[in-house]
Every structure is written in structure tokens, then in C-alpha cells.
């Protein structure tokens, strides 16, 4: 019986939390909409913070209420898409991972791209960082194929999340030398794949998850 | 039932087993049967007196009762635990807790005031003003931010929202662009 009571109690808590965070910051009708959408999203396992942030952002920018509402609905749709895509990739979804996936979709990646990253079987913190970096690279103009190829290779190599965070800077450095974002990402992917085969340089990263291929037998 | 309990002894031998008479009291033709009975009794006394089947049935019955009772005891406890978890941990967190120092720079020679608004300060355009350094119009602010992803924009003269020209940007849903910072 207490279990039955727990759900309404948590929903009331959620509604109160949203109301408190939006109080005085957004028009009342926007606040009501975010509460409704937030409770429904939470029931589906989605994070609520992105909805609240988008409503506050729109109000701070002086955007009309109707347009804020549309933007908040779009955020919910992106979160739903991300959650479904990650589940298809076999990932038990965490709210922060879903939020990272929604950002990647907003940056130009698709649900299929997210599923491909989820199928790398990377640990949850690494996947979350991978999704954020993938979205950042998309925002920098890296096409989805090169973007997902690079991030997938990095995630499969088992390198620390900090290495992923260096990728936008590395792409930017290559672009400043005159190559396109796609070429920069493809070059980094080749380097990551080679590093995965031969192991990281001394003192960097973790060993690759799979041993390198055995040497070919000598020719007679 | 055991093999020994099925054996039928002479009534006098039974009296012997009951301790009512001694072996010497038995007639000669029953003494062999009496000795055998005593030997069997001695064997039985040396064996462990175990009744596993009875024990199992009794314990199984107790177990069944316990299984019927346990869910009723556990359900409220689990529900209470769920409520506590919901209250104590409103959101799961796998993000690293580290913080990083970031310097924001905007060149805006014509601006009278520049501030920074983003997810890290609830998009408050007055919370994080930039400082103009010298006459060249370079505005800077240094913030310590938690690891994670942040979206932001510069606010010039309190009205104009400008994305950071040095950072990647995404659609903000309102027809403008937000700069992206991933730490």
C-alpha cells in the first residue's frame, strides 16, 4: 500500500520542485505547461532539468510564451528520441545520459547515431561524455558518419573520458591548419584505431580491450 | 517403517525388551530369539535417531508459512525504502564532480556592458558581468564550472544575445544560437 502511495508522493514532490524553480522566472502558463510535461516525462524515465532550463532560457531572452512552450515541447521530443535510441542500443538509460543524447540530437545527430554509440557497450560515464562530445563535434561541423566513427572508436578503445574531451580541441587545431572538420575527424579516427591496435603510448590511457592480432607466420 | 519394526517377537521376548523379565527368565527355546532381540535393540540404540523426513515436512510447513507472511512484512519495508530513495536521491548522477576554471573572452569595442548567461547561472543576464580590460574592447570573465556540458551566450548592453564566436553553437529553439562548452 505504501508503494502505491510512493508514486503520487514523488509526483507531488516533482511538481513542487518544478514550480519552485520556475517561480517568478517564466510566465504562469509556461510554468503550468512545464509542470505537466515534466511529470509525464519523469514518469517515462526522462530528465526534467532540460525542460526547466529551456523555459527559463526562453523567458530570460524575452521570447513570447507561445514560442517558449513550443521549444519546451521540442526538448521533450528530443529526450524521447534519445531514450528510445539508447534503449535500442542496449543501454539501461540514465537521466544524464538521456540528456546528453538529446543534446547530440539537437546538435544534428540522429537516433541511429545514438544507437550506434550505445552499442559500443561503453561504461555509462564514458558513454555520457561520448554523447556530449559527439554533439559538440556535430556543432563544429563534423558530419555524422565521421563523428560517430571517431567517438565509437574512442569508446571501444576503452580510453579515459578525459581523452574524449580533448577531441573538440584536436579537431579545431586540425581545422585551423586548413583541413575540413570531416577530414580532421577521419584522421583522428585513423589514429585512434591504430592506437587501439598497437596500444597507447607509454603512460597514456588504458591497454586496449582486445589483444593485438598475432604476428603472421614467417614465409618459408 | 523399518525392517526391525516389522519383525514379530514372542510376547515373552517383548517383555524382555520392555525390561519386565531377564534373559534367564526366558524358556530355553526362546533364549536365542531373546538374544537376537536384545542385539537388535542395542544396534538401534547406537544409530543416530534421525527423522529427516519428519523434520523436512515440519520445516517445509514453517517455510511455507514464512513465505506467506514475508511478502506482507517486506512490502511495506520496500515501499518505505522506495519513498526514502525518491526523497533522498531525486536524480541519478554519474557525472564526475570535478570543477574546471574557464576564461570567457569577447571582443566588443562598442559595448558598454557585457555579461554571460547560461545553464550554469540559470540564464541570469545580470549574474556574471564581464570586465573590460583596456581600451581595445576585450571583455573577460573567469568562472569555475562543474564538469559537464554548458550552453551560454554573451549579453551585450543587457539586450543583445551573442554566441561566443570562438565556440561551437547549437540551435536554441528560439531562432538563435547557444554556444556549447563541454568540460
Amino acid at each position: 500500500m505504501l508503494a502505491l502511495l510512493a508514486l503520487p508522493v514523488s509526483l507531488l514532490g516533482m511538481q513542487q520542485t518544478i514550480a519552485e524553480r520556475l517561480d517568478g522566472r517564466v510566465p504562469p502558463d509556461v510554468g503550468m505547461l512545464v509542470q505537466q510535461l515534466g511529470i509525464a516525462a519523469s514518469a517515462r524515465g526522462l530528465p526534467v532539468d532540460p525542460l526547466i532550463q529551456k523555459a527559463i532560457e526562453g523567458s530570460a531572452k524575452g521570447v513570447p510564451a507561445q514560442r517558449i512552450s513550443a521549444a519546451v515541447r521540442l526538448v521533450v521530443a528530443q529526450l524521447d528520441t534519445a531514450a528510445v535510441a539508447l534503449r535500442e542500443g542496449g543501454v539501461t538509460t540514465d537521466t544524464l545520459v538521456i540528456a546528453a543524447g538529446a543534446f547530440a540530437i539537437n546538435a544534428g545527430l540522429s537516433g541511429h547515431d545514438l544507437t550506434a554509440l550505445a552499442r559500443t557497450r561503453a561504461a555509462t560515464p564514458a558513454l555520457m561524455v561520448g554523447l556530449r562530445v559527439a554533439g559538440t563535434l556535430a556543432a563544429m561541423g563534423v558530419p555524422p558518419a565521421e563523428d560517430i566513427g571517431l567517438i565509437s572508436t574512442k569508446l571501444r578503445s576503452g580510453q579515459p573520458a578525459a581523452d574524449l574531451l580533448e577531441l573538440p580541441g584536436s579537431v579545431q587545431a586540425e581545422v585551423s591548419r586548413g583541413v575540413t572538420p570531416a577530414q580532421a575527424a577521419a584522421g583522428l579516427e585513423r589514429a585512434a584505431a591504430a592506437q587501439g591496435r598497437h596500444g597507447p603510448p607509454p603512460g597514456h590511457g588504458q591497454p586496449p580491450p582486445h589483444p593485438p592480432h598475432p604476428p603472421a607466420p614467417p614465409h618459408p | 517403517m523399518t525392517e526391525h519394526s516389522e519383525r514379530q517377537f514372542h510376547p515373552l521376548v517383548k517383555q524382555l525388551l520392555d525390561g519386565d523379565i531377564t534373559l534367564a527368565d526366558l524358556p530355553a527355546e526362546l533364549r536365542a530369539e531373546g538374544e537376537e532381540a536384545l542385539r537388535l535393540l542395542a544396534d538401534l540404540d547406537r544409530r543416530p535417531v534421525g527423522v529427516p523426513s519428519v523434520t523436512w515436512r515440519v520445516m517445509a510447513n514453517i517455510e511455507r508459512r514464512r513465505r506467506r507472511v514475508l511478502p506482507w512484512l517486506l512490502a511495506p519495508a520496500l515501499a518505505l525504502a522506495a519513498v526514502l530513495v525518491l526523497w533522498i536521491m531525486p536524480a541519478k548522477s554519474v557525472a564526475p564532480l570535478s570543477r574546471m576554471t574557464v576564461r570567457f573572452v569577447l571582443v566588443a569595442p562598442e559595448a558598454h556592458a557585457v555579461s554571460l548567461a547560461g545553464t550554469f547561472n540559470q540564464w541570469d543576464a545580470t549574474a556574471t558581468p564581464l570586465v573590460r580590460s583596456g581600451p581595445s574592447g576585450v571583455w573577460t570573465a573567469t568562472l569555475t564550472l562543474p564538469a559537464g556540458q554548458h550552453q551560454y551566450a554573451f549579453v551585450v548592453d543587457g539586450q543583445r544575445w551573442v554566441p561566443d564566436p570562438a565556440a561551437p553553437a547549437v540551435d536554441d529553439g528560439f531562432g538563435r544560437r547557444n554556444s556549447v562548452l563541454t568540460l
Side-chain angles (χ1 to χ4, degrees):
Chain A
M1 187 179 291
L2 280 176
L4 294 173
L5 288 172
L7 189 60
V9 167
S10 66
L11 291 179
L12 280 173
M14 174 70 67
Q15 191 172 14
Q16 191 176 355
T17 301
I18 296 172
E20 285 173 359
R21 287 189 62 187
L22 295 178
D23 186 34
R25 287 180 164 154
V26 302
D29 50 344
V30 172
M32 290 298 294
L33 175 71
V34 174
Q35 285 181 43
Q36 292 170 8
L37 293 175
I39 289 170
S42 180
R44 297 198 298 279
L46 303 179
V48 176
D49 189 64
L51 283 64
I52 297 171
Q53 285 280 353
K54 188 53 68 179
I56 293 173
E57 177 191 345
S59 185
K61 290 180 175 177
V63 176
Q66 199 172 1
R67 193 156 189 184
I68 297 175
S69 299
V72 171
R73 289 183 192 278
L74 178 62
V75 170
V76 174
Q78 290 169 340
L79 290 167
D80 270 321
T81 302
V84 169
L86 291 167
R87 271 198 296 271
E88 282 180 7
V91 171
T92 306
T93 45
D94 175 283
T95 52
L96 291 176
V97 177
I98 294 172
F103 162 73
I105 285 174
N106 186 42
L109 297 178
S110 68
H112 292 301
D113 296 329
L114 268 58
T115 302
L117 291 182
R119 285 187 176 142
T120 60
R121 299 284 183 262
T124 301
L127 177 60
M128 181 181 66
V129 174
L131 289 164
R132 288 172 176 167
V133 173
T136 304
L137 294 181
M140 294 171 68
V142 176
E146 285 78 3
D147 190 343
I148 299 305
L150 173 57
I151 302 297
S152 296
T153 303
K154 283 283 187 181
L155 287 176
R156 285 201 181 94
S157 71
Q159 292 178 357
D163 284 9
L164 290 166
L165 291 170
E166 292 175 0
L167 288 176
S170 301
V171 169
Q172 186 61 43
E174 293 296 316
V175 168
S176 67
R177 292 194 186 108
V179 303
T180 65
Q183 290 169 332
L188 289 168
E189 182 190 351
R190 284 193 296 274
Q195 187 172 317
R197 283 193 298 272
H198 303 297
H204 288 81
Q206 298 169 353
H210 304 294
H213 294 295
H219 293 289
Chain B
M1 280 294 179
T2 66
E3 185 184 346
H4 305 296
S5 61
E6 289 171 351
R7 174 85 178 264
Q8 292 297 313
F9 289 106
H10 189 279
L12 287 175
V13 174
K14 288 182 179 177
Q15 286 184 27
L16 171 70
L17 294 174
D18 290 342
D20 295 338
I21 58 175
T22 66
L23 190 62
D25 296 329
L26 287 176
E29 66 271 18
L30 289 177
R31 281 185 187 166
E33 186 180 335
E35 286 173 354
E36 185 192 358
L38 289 173
R39 195 176 62 250
L40 289 172
L41 182 64
D43 285 348
L44 283 174
D45 284 345
R46 279 195 295 272
R47 286 179 191 171
V49 185
V51 280
S53 59
V54 174
T55 306
W56 179 82
R57 285 186 191 121
V58 172
M59 293 310 291
N61 199 22
I62 292 171
E63 194 68 24
R64 274 197 293 274
R65 287 181 188 174
R66 195 157 61 106
R67 284 177 190 159
R68 282 197 294 267
V69 170
L70 268 180
W72 293 102
L73 294 174
L74 280 176
L78 288 173
L80 186 60
V83 171
L84 286 173
V85 166
L86 284 170
W87 278 341
I88 293 169
M89 296 174 61
K92 283 191 281 181
S93 176
V94 293
L97 296 174
S98 60
R99 299 176 72 85
M100 301 185 78
T101 300
V102 183
R103 189 166 183 245
F104 295 88
V105 179
L106 180 70
V107 179
E110 306 299 323
H112 295 96
V114 177
S115 62
L116 195 57
T119 50
F120 42 79
N121 65 4
Q122 301 295 308
W123 296 98
D124 186 346
T126 63
T128 313
L130 275 71
V131 176
R132 184 170 187 149
S133 52
S136 59
V138 177
W139 298 79
T140 63
T142 302
L143 301 182
T144 301
L145 298 174
Q149 189 165 66
H150 307 281
Q151 295 189 27
Y152 66 96
F154 295 111
V155 185
V156 177
D157 294 334
Q159 291 182 340
R160 200 157 53 91
W161 291 71
V162 180
D164 188 342
V170 293
D171 182 10
D172 72 348
F174 307 118
R176 300 187 184 121
R177 309 280 290 171
N178 283 340
S179 300
V180 174
L181 179 65
T182 304
L183 300 174

